[in-house]
Amino acid sequence: AEKIRVLIVDDVAESRDNVERLLSFEPDIQIIGTASRGQEAIDASFERNPDIILMDVNMPDMDGVVATRAILSQRPNVGVIMMSVM
């Protein structure tokens, strides 16, 4: 069976690492990359073709909702899970 391809987007390295560590225990998930900014997430979504993007809401260059809209306008079948860590 194919693994679920996940892209992790968060401007805080520790948060990206924690999510990646948690998901590494799930055998059906493959982390295909991380991004730390909204534009980087948009680029990575086209280059790496994720099934799911875990998207941080608050990033310095672009709101996660804005990045998500840009991605979904071109790739409507990508699942996006918005994350907000306070």
Side-chain angles (χ1 to χ4, degrees):
E2 281 192 33
K3 293 187 177 202
I4 299 167
R5 298 166 49 82
V6 176
L7 175 67
I8 300 168
V9 182
D10 198 312
D11 61 318
V12 178
E14 185 180 10
S15 297
R16 290 192 308 270
D17 294 345
N18 288 340
V19 172
E20 192 165 2
R21 212 173 2 265
L22 283 170
L23 293 178
S24 70
F25 293 102
E26 176 52 61
D28 293 330
I29 290 179
Q30 175 187 3
I31 305 298
I32 57 166
T34 62
S36 60
R37 298 181 309 110
Q39 186 59 54
E40 188 182 355
I42 293 168
D43 296 343
S45 73
F46 296 110
E47 294 165 6
R48 299 178 184 266
N49 194 32
D51 298 309
I52 295 174
I53 300 172
L54 298 177
M55 177 74 73
D56 184 14
V57 172
N58 300 304
M59 290 178 286
D61 71 321
M62 181 184 306
D63 185 283
V65 175
V66 173
T68 296
R69 284 192 181 120
I71 292 165
L72 293 178
S73 71
Q74 300 295 316
R75 304 200 58 240
N77 294 330
V78 174
V80 179
I81 298 170
M82 301 298 294
M83 303 184 295
S84 180
V85 180
M86 297 294 167

